[in-house]
Amino acid sequence: MKKTYKIEVDCANCALKMEEAARKVEGVREVTVSFMTQKMKVEFGEGADEKSVMQTVRRACKKVEDDCEIFLD
């Protein structure tokens, strides 16, 4: 399953850090973060629980870029 999330990030380098952090989360098959469009596209692995995976992604992104935001609603 693929899903797109609105994000808030200050620079392209920060977006890259978010992408790298999200890619390491179990349950994420592929992720692309775009600074220009302020969107994160996530492809989930087979059987992954989208809500819990995205909570983990949010925590991982906050560790590398504490003022970023991922809007999960």
Side-chain angles (χ1 to χ4, degrees):
M1 173 171 59
K2 294 181 183 179
K3 194 153 181 189
T4 301
Y5 298 91
K6 185 178 179 335
I7 62 169
E8 197 172 282
V9 63
D10 296 333
C11 69
N13 189 48
C14 301
L16 180 62
K17 287 181 185 176
M18 287 176 68
E19 186 174 302
E20 290 170 348
R23 192 168 277 131
K24 294 175 184 173
V25 173
E26 189 174 333
V28 174
R29 180 176 291 159
E30 185 57 50
V31 62
T32 306
V33 177
S34 173
F35 168 67
M36 294 299 287
T37 62
Q38 296 284 298
K39 292 192 190 298
M40 173 185 276
K41 294 180 182 179
V42 181
E43 182 178 348
F44 297 95
E46 188 72 30
D49 177 30
E50 169 205 335
K51 290 186 189 302
S52 69
V53 169
M54 286 310 296
Q55 290 296 333
T56 306
V57 166
R58 179 188 267 165
R59 283 193 300 275
C61 289
K62 290 277 189 186
K63 283 182 185 174
V64 295
E65 192 53 46
D66 63 345
D67 66 343
C68 74
E69 187 56 71
I70 303 170
F71 299 98
L72 301 178
D73 296 329

